[in-house]
Amino acid sequence: MSFISEVWGFLIERKKFWLFPVVIILGVFGGLIVLSQGSAIAPFVYTLF
C-alpha cells in the first residue's frame, strides 16, 4: 500500500493530473486479470491485450 500512496503523492505534488485516468484504468485491468484467473472469463480478458 505504501507504493500506491507514494504514486498518489507524486501525482498530486507534481500536478500530473492527466495521469490519474491512466493509473485508474491500469488498476481496473490488473484487478480484472487477478480476479478472473481460473474462471471462464480469463480467455476473453486476454484478448483485450
Side-chain angles (χ1 to χ4, degrees), residues 2 16 18 35 40 42 46:
S2 66
K16 302 281 185 187
W18 59 272
L35 292 176
Y46 293 121

Side-chain angles (χ1 to χ4, degrees), residues 10-38:
F10 170 79
L11 294 176
I12 300 260
E13 183 178 328
R14 303 275 190 220
K15 296 189 178 14
K16 302 281 185 187
F17 299 118
W18 59 272
L19 283 175
F20 282 122
V22 174
V23 171
I24 292 170
I25 295 289
L26 285 175
V28 167
F29 277 135
L32 183 63
I33 289 174
V34 167
L35 292 176
S36 69
Q37 272 186 335

Side-chain angles (χ1 to χ4, degrees), residues 34-48:
V34 167
L35 292 176
S36 69
Q37 272 186 335
S39 71
I41 302 172
F44 300 110
V45 171
Y46 293 121
T47 59
L48 293 174

